[in-house]
Amino acid sequence: MAKRKLTSLRSVLLRYLLLCGGGCALILVLWWGVLMQLIDIGFLLPAVASAQACADARETVASMTADTFDSLQISDLCRWAVVQKDAVLQTNMTARQLKIALNAFHGGSGNLVLMQYQYDVKMADGSFCLLQYDYALPYADPALRDTLPDFQTCYFVLLAALILVWLGWQTHCTVRTFAAETARLNAAVDAIAARQLEQIDTDGVRIREFSATLQALQTMGRELTDSLQSQWRMEQQRTEQIAALAHDLKTPLTVIQGNDELLAEKGASAGQQAQLDAILRGTQRAQQYLAALRTVGAPPAPQRLLDSHALTAQLADAASALCAPAGVDFHCEEHWQGHIMAAEDDLRRAVENLLENAVNHTPRGGTVTLTVAREGSNLRIRVTDTGPGFTPEALAKAGEMLYTDAARSDAAHQGLGLYFAKKVAQFHGGTLVLSNLSGTHGACAELRLPIGR
């Protein structure tokens, strides 16, 4: 396929200006040509015709008196009024025209409108004849002058209308060109969001700058897709490695635990029994780690409609069981009761992880608080404690797999609790928000989940 020739944005704008200016000039030339043609064929009289008629009438009325005045000897291109001692004896003017003529006769200024002129002619008996005319293009036929509106005004209005229509049409065409190019950019952004890069149309673009932008978007989308696929493969590989490790460790741990129980049944000295108990505790802890690892790689559970009050009661029971042996006070604040679409086991395990973290990092005599509330269309499950709080590094990295805060970790925790809680929040379309309590010591971990209908 031959490569399409592109136009620069400067060329498009220059073409718009040239078409607007050239079109207006052509309209003006045609408008003037038609006007001259109407004069040549006798449909219109030249603008000087009225002035010449009034100039000829000046000599005629100067020899007349008020009694002998004959309006038939004056061209109908002139407006006239016979005035004697401030009294109007005869006139063919309208009331408004007569008022303007008398004001100009008595020395008023600024009364005659644009292109309007007046002669004050003294007659033989001392009376005055006021001759008034317009420097305009009148119809040649007197009948048309009496019935049709002023030609010159209508013709200028026609010129303005033609110019406005031409400018409007050129603007519409240029805007349509830009709108088409912008639509391709919007379609490219939508295609990138949908990860359908093959739908980006770079062939139909006509402006060079828009083509460069589309190509940049296409490159960015391709790199973004490659990055996401690479990240997904790394995540999948890591999950598979964790699952394989958990599976491989399960068998030796079972063997160790079984042999430890057999040795304990055969009888052992007090020192040996203590060692066997230590082996058993370590084996059980390792099995807990494996259970947590299997949970990380497990697929999300299906969602169903849950009663928030029943879920809160279960969480409160679990929190009380965790707080009592640690010497920590527990408070539950339930500000909303309703139903929520969620995976019950996953959500309960995620909140229990938050509660366990809070209990483990709260000194004896401290307090752990569970708050269930609604904010707009979101359910907020908040766990706060009176411990040392999160470090700045933990606030930035907490929720990453296997990350542990040095100030809030011990040998029994390997950074899987917050990671699992974050994944559960994301699966439900929500977020996990970690923060420190302002004005006092303590940490806050909050699940914000949309309340499905």
Side-chain angles (χ1 to χ4, degrees):
M1 179 183 293
K3 186 176 181 180
R4 180 188 294 270
K5 187 176 180 180
L6 300 177
T7 305
S8 67
L9 184 60
R10 178 183 297 179
S11 299
V12 174
L13 295 177
L14 182 60
R15 177 177 177 272
Y16 168 73
L17 293 177
L18 290 177
L19 286 175
C20 288
C24 291
L26 180 61
I27 290 173
L28 184 60
V29 170
L30 293 176
W31 178 85
W32 183 259
V34 172
L35 181 63
M36 293 298 100
Q37 187 66 26
L38 291 176
I39 294 175
D40 291 341
I41 64 176
F43 182 75
L44 298 175
L45 297 176
V48 296
S50 298
Q52 185 63 42
C54 283
D56 296 341
R58 291 172 64 184
E59 299 178 0
T60 303
V61 299
S63 60
M64 297 181 181
T65 65
D67 295 333
T68 62
F69 179 79
D70 184 5
S71 61
L72 296 178
Q73 299 185 35
I74 301 176
S75 173
D76 57 4
L77 295 176
C78 301
R79 296 186 293 272
W80 51 266
V82 178
V83 181
Q84 188 179 56
K85 296 181 180 180
D86 294 335
V88 179
L89 302 180
Q90 301 180 60
T91 184
N92 68 344
M93 298 183 185
T94 64
R96 180 176 178 276
Q97 293 171 344
L98 181 61
K99 181 179 179 181
I100 294 175
L102 291 175
N103 188 279
F105 174 66
H106 290 102
S109 59
N111 296 285
L112 296 177
V113 297
L114 184 66
M115 309 299 290
Q116 192 176 78
Y117 300 91
Q118 178 173 310
Y119 295 128
D120 300 333
V121 182
K122 189 174 183 180
M123 304 175 69
D125 60 350
S127 302
F128 283 89
C129 181
L130 310 182
L131 297 174
Q132 193 180 90
Y133 70 94
D134 297 328
Y135 192 81
L137 298 171
Y139 296 103
D141 188 348
L144 296 179
R145 290 198 294 269
D146 294 337
T147 57
L148 296 180
D150 179 63
F151 175 82
Q152 184 167 292
T153 301
C154 295
Y155 205 55
F156 274 107
V157 171
L158 175 63
L159 174 63
L162 291 174
I163 291 177
L164 289 177
V165 169
W166 175 254
L167 293 178
W169 173 251
Q170 291 303 318
T171 302
H172 168 74
C173 293
T174 305
V175 169
R176 188 172 59 182
T177 299
F178 283 119
E181 302 296 289
T182 305
R184 290 188 177 89
L185 292 181
N186 294 334
V189 173
D190 294 338
I192 292 175
R195 302 180 187 178
Q196 298 175 349
L197 301 183
E198 67 280 357
Q199 294 187 3
I200 297 180
D201 179 20
T202 58
D203 295 331
V205 68
R206 297 171 55 187
I207 301 178
R208 183 178 298 114
E209 287 77 4
F210 283 87
S211 177
T213 303
L214 275 176
Q215 292 176 358
L217 286 174
Q218 192 176 39
T219 302
M220 182 188 69
R222 187 181 300 111
E223 294 178 353
L224 178 61
T225 301
D226 293 342
S227 176
L228 290 175
Q229 289 177 349
S230 176
Q231 182 179 356
W232 179 83
R233 286 193 297 268
M234 291 177 60
E235 186 75 17
Q236 189 71 13
Q237 184 179 7
R238 182 167 56 180
T239 302
E240 292 174 356
Q241 290 174 348
I242 291 174
L245 177 62
H247 181 271
D248 292 342
L249 289 177
K250 180 179 179 181
T251 300
L253 286 176
T254 302
V255 173
I256 293 173
Q257 184 177 3
N259 287 307
D260 180 83
E261 294 174 351
L262 289 175
L263 291 174
E265 291 177 358
K266 292 180 179 180
S269 63
Q272 292 174 338
Q273 186 61 45
Q275 295 174 348
L276 292 175
D277 292 340
I279 293 173
L280 182 60
R281 288 194 299 271
T283 304
Q284 292 174 346
R285 181 175 296 174
Q287 289 176 341
Q288 293 175 357
Y289 294 162
L290 291 180
L293 288 174
R294 286 195 298 270
T295 301
V296 168
Q303 299 185 32
R304 64 182 185 87
L305 197 63
L306 302 180
D307 184 356
S308 68
H309 178 66
L311 178 63
T312 303
Q314 294 175 2
L315 294 174
D317 292 341
S320 298
L322 290 170
C323 290
V328 175
D329 293 333
F330 172 70
H331 296 289
C332 180
E333 299 178 359
E334 186 179 17
H335 301 295
W336 178 76
Q337 294 182 10
H339 293 84
I340 178 174
M341 288 296 298
E344 181 178 8
D345 293 339
D346 289 348
L347 180 57
R348 185 175 65 252
R349 190 176 303 131
V351 179
E352 288 176 354
N353 287 341
L354 301 182
L355 290 168
E356 184 179 2
N357 284 343
V359 172
N360 290 333
H361 301 99
T362 301
R364 298 185 69 85
T367 303
V368 171
T369 303
L370 172 65
T371 304
V372 178
R374 176 174 181 171
E375 182 179 287
S377 60
N378 290 331
L379 173 65
R380 301 177 60 177
I381 303 177
R382 172 189 288 186
V383 177
T384 58
D385 62 59
T386 56
F390 293 104
T391 63
E393 180 185 7
L395 290 176
K397 295 185 177 181
E400 296 181 4
M401 182 180 289
L402 303 180
Y403 171 80
T404 57
D405 184 1
R408 289 177 59 93
S409 63
D410 54 41
H413 294 83
Q414 301 300 322
L416 293 174
L418 290 180
Y419 173 80
F420 179 73
K422 180 180 179 180
K423 287 296 183 182
V424 170
Q426 292 175 346
F427 171 69
H428 287 82
T431 56
L432 171 65
V433 180
L434 303 178
S435 62
N436 288 324
L437 299 179
S438 59
T440 181
H441 292 292
C444 173
E446 182 177 291
L447 285 173
R448 299 177 182 176
L449 309 176
I451 301 176
R453 295 186 181 275

